[in-house]
Structures are given as structure tokens and as C-alpha cells.
Amino acid sequence: MKTRAITGFFFIIVMLGSVLLGHYVFGGFYLLLSLFCLHEFYGLNIKSGIEPNRAAGFVNAIFIYFIFALITFHYKPEYLEILFLLTLTFSAVFIQELFKIAVAPFTNIAYTFAGLIFVIIPFTFFHAMAFIKGGFNFHFPLAFLLMLWANDTGAYLVGRAIGRTKLFERHSPKKTWEGFIGGVAISAAVGFVISIYFPELPWKQWVSIAILIGCFGTLGDLVESMFKRSINIKDSGGILPGHGGLLDRFDGFLMAAPIVYTYLYFVVNA
């Protein structure tokens, strides 16, 4: 428990610093973090006997993140034309497989793209969240992280204290409906407090975002659990002592970030 607490403390410090130190640090940090998560995802596949095309996967990951970061940071119509290069980088995934001797080549191709969709795309949405109103504004990604952590912590504490009814036992035996409801409620309370200090949105919108994070963050956790169970692995890694791997820490993030960005996009531009 002590190791878990120490790791969690430094993890939060690093994450807060990445948001508060300006858009260059913000963009660079989450690019590196997304690549580490993708490396972990591909590594888990390799342990289960699947051979994703990692070289082509990383090239596509960097390109996808970079071009969308460029578009959100300083939009120009001509930047959209660069997206057509994805036809080449995506083709590289198939071409690389031609030079390998594999029993199931299209399984390897599928998991290569699955890593990009499951890991990289959510990080591009999270990065874009900071530019939802045009210029860099750390309030939105910071608020997202605070509400996500509140949901995780609330679900854990409430579930441990009064949890009885299993939420989705087949994929996550320890999760309960009581914990889920408690996590959403605490996240919503944090969303209300955030509205006092971050006036970009009214309190109803911040609370709505908190509820989205609670619901889709939990679903992301269940999806990652389903993935690990499908390849018979308990933790995604050991890079965070007491917490497991990066994917274990960002499972809720991966599904909630695109949903919250989509919600913000339509609310801000309404």
C-alpha cells in the first residue's frame, strides 16, 4: 500500500506538471506517453503469440498524433491535405507484413491498427481538448484529469466500503454497482467545484462532463480488463510499482477522452 501511495503521488505530480507547463511540454509529453502505452499494448500482444507490425505502427502513431496536434494548435486548410499521407503510412502496415513469415498475417495487421485506435486516437483527442476554444487552455485537460481521478478514487473507496452488487463480474469481479454510482457521484461533486474556479462552462456542463467520465471511464476499464483476460494477463505491465502498467492507469482515459472532447466540441460551438 505504501509503494502504491508513493507511486500515485509522483504520478499525479508528473501529470499535473505536463498540463501546467505550457503547450509544448503538454504536446510532447502526451506524444511520448501515448507511444509508451502503444509499446505496452503491442508487447502484451506479443506475449500472447500475436506479432503486430510495431515499426509501421509507431510511424503511424507519431504521424497521426503530430498532424492532428498541428491542426488543433494552428489550423490552416492546407494542413488537412497532409492527412492524405495516411494512405501511405497505413499501407506500410500491410506492406511490412508481406516480408514476414506469419501464420496469421491479417491478425497481426488487425492488432496493429487496434493499437492505433485503442491507444493513439484517444491521446489525440485529449491533446485537442486543450485547444477546444482556439488557443491553449489547460483548464479543460486539467479538469478532465481531476474528474477522472475523482471517479476512480470514489469508485474504489465506495466499492470497498459498501460494494455488494457485481457490475460486470465476467470481466471485472471486483467492480460493483455501488462503487460505480459512488464514483460518478464524487466525480460530479468535483465537477461542481471545478465550475467555481474554471468559468469557461456553467456548473451543469461540468457536472455533465463528470457523469460522462464516470460512465465511459468505467466502460474503458472494463474493455481493458476484457482485453487482458482474452490474452490471460493480469497486469498490463510493471512500470508503475503498485499500480501495474500504463494501460492499467489509462484504461478509463482511453474511452472517456474522445467522448468528452466530442461533447465539448458541440457545447462550445453551439
Side-chain angles (χ1 to χ4, degrees):
M1 184 62 70
K2 182 179 179 181
T3 301
R4 181 183 177 89
I6 294 173
T7 302
F9 174 77
F10 283 104
F11 175 79
I12 290 173
I13 295 298
V14 171
M15 293 293 289
L16 291 178
S18 69
V19 174
L20 299 174
L21 292 177
H23 62 84
Y24 287 117
V25 173
F26 178 72
F29 177 81
Y30 284 97
L31 171 59
L32 289 175
L33 188 57
S34 68
L35 293 177
F36 277 119
C37 287
L38 184 64
H39 172 74
E40 193 171 272
F41 179 85
Y42 286 157
L44 292 174
N45 286 303
I46 291 172
K47 288 181 180 179
S48 67
I50 300 166
E51 298 179 3
N53 300 323
R54 289 191 291 180
F58 283 117
V59 169
N60 275 283
I62 294 170
F63 184 74
I64 290 170
Y65 186 96
F66 177 77
I67 186 56
F68 281 104
L70 186 64
I71 291 171
T72 55
F73 172 65
H74 185 61
Y75 175 77
K76 290 183 179 179
E78 52 266 33
Y79 289 162
L80 296 176
E81 297 177 2
I82 303 176
L83 289 173
F84 286 101
L85 290 176
L86 284 172
T87 57
L88 293 176
T89 57
F90 281 1
S91 297
V93 177
F94 296 89
I95 294 170
Q96 185 181 355
E97 196 64 33
L98 289 174
F99 294 91
K100 293 168 58 179
I101 301 175
V103 176
F106 274 87
T107 298
N108 299 336
I109 292 169
Y111 274 89
T112 303
F113 282 112
L116 298 176
I117 296 169
F118 183 60
V119 177
I120 301 302
I121 296 300
F123 276 98
T124 66
F125 275 103
F126 181 71
H127 177 269
M129 206 180 291
F131 300 89
I132 195 71
K133 282 195 168 185
F136 177 74
N137 184 344
F138 71 85
H139 285 183
F140 290 107
L142 177 58
F144 176 89
L145 291 176
L146 291 175
M147 289 184 284
L148 181 66
W149 294 337
N151 176 72
D152 291 344
T153 303
Y156 173 77
L157 294 176
V158 175
R160 188 174 182 181
I162 62 172
R164 297 293 184 272
T165 311
K166 300 298 182 182
L167 176 64
F168 216 124
E169 189 171 8
R170 181 156 56 93
H171 295 304
S172 187
K174 294 183 179 180
K175 280 189 169 43
T176 63
W177 277 103
E178 292 85 357
F180 167 70
I181 295 170
V184 172
I186 292 175
S187 182
V190 171
F192 179 79
V193 174
I194 285 172
S195 70
I196 300 172
Y197 298 97
F198 294 173
E200 287 85 356
L201 297 174
W203 72 267
K204 292 181 180 179
Q205 300 293 1
W206 284 120
V207 171
S208 296
I209 291 170
I211 293 172
L212 286 175
I213 289 173
C215 293
F216 286 94
T218 302
L219 287 172
D221 193 332
L222 290 170
V223 168
E224 201 247 354
S225 295
M226 177 176 65
F227 167 63
K228 289 188 296 184
R229 285 180 177 276
S230 71
I231 57 177
N232 296 315
I233 290 176
K234 183 179 184 296
D235 293 323
S236 66
I239 193 171
L240 299 172
H243 290 263
L246 289 172
L247 291 177
D248 292 324
R249 290 299 90 208
F250 287 93
D251 45 12
F253 172 103
L254 296 176
M255 189 164 287
I259 298 295
V260 169
Y261 175 83
T262 302
Y263 179 84
L264 283 171
Y265 179 84
F266 287 105
V267 166
V268 170
N269 295 291

